[in-house]
Amino acid sequence: MAQAGLDGDFSPSLVFAIVLYVLIIGFLFSVITAYFSGMVGVTASPGSSIVIAGILFAAWLLLSVLKLVASFPLSSKQLMAAEAITIIIGSVVTGIAAIANDNTQDLKVGQLVGATPWKQQLMLLLGVFISSLIIPPVMQLLFNVYGIAGVMPHPGMDISQTLPAPTAAMLSAVTEAVFRNTLPWMMMLLGAAIIMLLIVLERLFKLYRWIRLSVLGVAIGMYLPISSSFPLFIGGLIAMYVNWRLRKKR
């Protein structure tokens, strides 16, 4: 943390703030991703949007702290240290959101088939524990053999054989954009304006009497690529038709 421009006296307070941030944001994001899982399932769940939100909040908070305690502009070494701290925070939040997303899907399916909840929870905890023991050494082995995301552990390795890491690349890109002030503000503000406009129109013209616009559904449609959102649209049409047929039979 000293490399980021924070002296030793301030570091314990920052560590406490980071832990508190992870606990609060992790809890909130686990609820949101659980809702996503129930709404569209794990495969189409826009979990990366949660990752982006978490990394943005963490980067902005850390940047605000640095503006108070460090002299600007930050050096390249300070920027890299601050970005590393932010990515670590984002990685923890990402893990929380991913586990909540997957576990909720498992519990939902278990409820549909009549599984015993406590046995499901026991196996889910066991799965997380075993994964935490197995995945790190496997990832380290792959990194040593192939490299990941263009980062090569040994000189002379073929960079064309490196393994992709889209989530890690996204975390790095978003963090760097915040600290170097290169975020696409126009696109972000445009998306927020569209959502706000839909909310206002629905309330102003009472559209809910004829059609129920889901803000989350619209946001998912804006965020996900057409290859992912179109099957959701088809599934919605099928569900609407089935519900209509069931109501007609009654």
Side-chain angles (χ1 to χ4, degrees):
M1 292 187 182
Q3 292 180 344
L6 301 173
D7 56 36
D9 295 334
F10 192 78
S11 295
S13 300
L14 181 61
V15 170
F16 175 78
I18 290 173
V19 172
L20 188 63
Y21 172 86
V22 168
L23 290 175
I24 296 175
I25 297 299
F27 173 77
L28 293 176
F29 283 4
S30 65
V31 175
I32 296 173
T33 51
Y35 180 68
F36 283 166
S37 177
M39 184 178 181
V40 297
V42 171
T43 304
S45 178
S48 53
S49 62
I50 297 297
V51 176
I52 293 174
I55 205 76
L56 282 175
F57 289 149
W60 281 332
L61 288 175
L62 184 57
L63 186 61
S64 300
V65 171
L66 289 176
K67 286 182 178 179
L68 295 176
V69 301
S71 57
F72 270 68
L74 297 176
S75 65
S76 58
K77 188 176 182 180
Q78 287 176 316
L79 283 173
M80 290 183 64
E83 290 169 4
I85 294 172
T86 305
I87 290 175
I88 292 173
I89 298 172
S91 300
V92 176
V93 174
T94 300
I96 294 172
I99 291 174
N101 197 18
D102 183 62
N103 287 0
T104 304
Q105 175 78 354
D106 293 341
L107 293 172
K108 179 181 71 174
V109 174
Q111 193 273 336
L112 292 175
V113 300
T116 305
W118 78 266
K119 290 183 178 179
Q120 273 194 287
Q121 294 169 4
L122 177 63
M123 296 309 297
L124 288 172
L125 290 173
L126 185 61
V128 172
F129 175 72
I130 294 176
S131 298
S132 65
L133 296 178
I134 295 177
I135 291 177
V138 172
M139 293 300 298
Q140 186 64 44
L141 176 63
L142 292 174
F143 175 68
N144 290 332
V145 175
Y146 298 103
I148 297 178
V151 179
M152 315 307 291
H154 309 294
M157 296 180 66
D158 185 4
I159 196 171
S160 64
Q161 300 297 320
T162 184
L163 300 176
T167 302
M170 179 186 65
L171 288 173
S172 176
V174 172
T175 303
E176 184 177 350
V178 173
F179 283 100
R180 301 175 192 273
N181 197 26
T182 57
L183 280 174
W185 287 107
M186 185 58 66
M187 297 299 295
M188 296 173 66
L189 293 175
L190 179 61
I194 292 174
I195 295 298
M196 292 300 298
L197 180 62
L198 289 176
I199 295 174
V200 171
L201 290 177
E202 185 178 22
R203 298 298 180 184
L204 186 62
F205 296 101
K206 298 181 179 180
L207 298 179
Y208 53 83
R209 293 182 296 182
W210 300 283
I211 184 173
R212 186 68 177 177
L213 287 176
S214 171
V215 174
L216 179 59
V218 174
I220 289 176
M222 294 170 57
Y223 175 77
L224 290 178
I226 191 67
S227 59
S228 298
S229 58
F230 186 71
L232 296 177
F233 173 72
I234 298 299
L237 289 179
I238 294 173
M240 186 173 64
Y241 173 75
V242 171
N243 290 332
W244 174 75
R245 292 286 297 180
L246 291 175
R247 286 196 301 267
K248 190 175 180 180
K249 288 182 178 180
R250 294 174 185 173

